[in-house]
Amino acid sequence: MCQILAPLARRILLVPVHSERTAEPHGLGEACRSANPNAKVEEFASLQAALAATAQEPFVTVAGSLYLIGEAMELLRLSPAHRRG
């Protein structure tokens, strides 16, 4: 996926995912840098920290496992549980 998505990005933020099958951000960083040497690649300790770093960005794409997408939906208050209340 890095080879497909990284060339489209100016900035790539990598975060750990809470799953035993996850790839480490550092290893993904090397793949992203290889796929797009011009992109700024940053590693964050959490998705919450990465989202905070993009608070002023007009457009952000979150890509990864369903675990990561679910966490992003919770943090961004886009999950059905947040819509009810």
Side-chain angles (χ1 to χ4, degrees), residues 2-85:
C2 274
Q3 291 178 347
I4 295 169
L5 295 176
L8 304 173
R10 286 182 277 159
R11 184 176 178 200
I12 300 168
L13 298 100
L14 303 169
V15 301
V17 177
H18 304 291
S19 170
E20 65 277 351
R21 294 177 42 194
T22 189
E24 292 298 319
H26 184 72
L28 288 175
E30 292 176 12
C32 289
R33 284 182 194 92
S34 176
N36 183 351
N38 296 317
K40 181 178 180 182
V41 179
E42 303 171 67
E43 296 175 26
F44 288 85
S46 69
L47 178 58
Q48 187 170 11
L51 290 174
T54 63
Q56 301 303 313
E57 299 289 334
F59 181 77
V60 175
T61 300
V62 178
S65 71
L66 292 178
Y67 292 105
L68 181 67
I69 302 306
E71 184 179 352
M73 290 179 69
E74 288 285 326
L75 290 170
L76 296 169
R77 300 189 170 279
L78 297 173
S79 69
H82 288 292
R83 290 186 191 158
R84 291 185 215 137

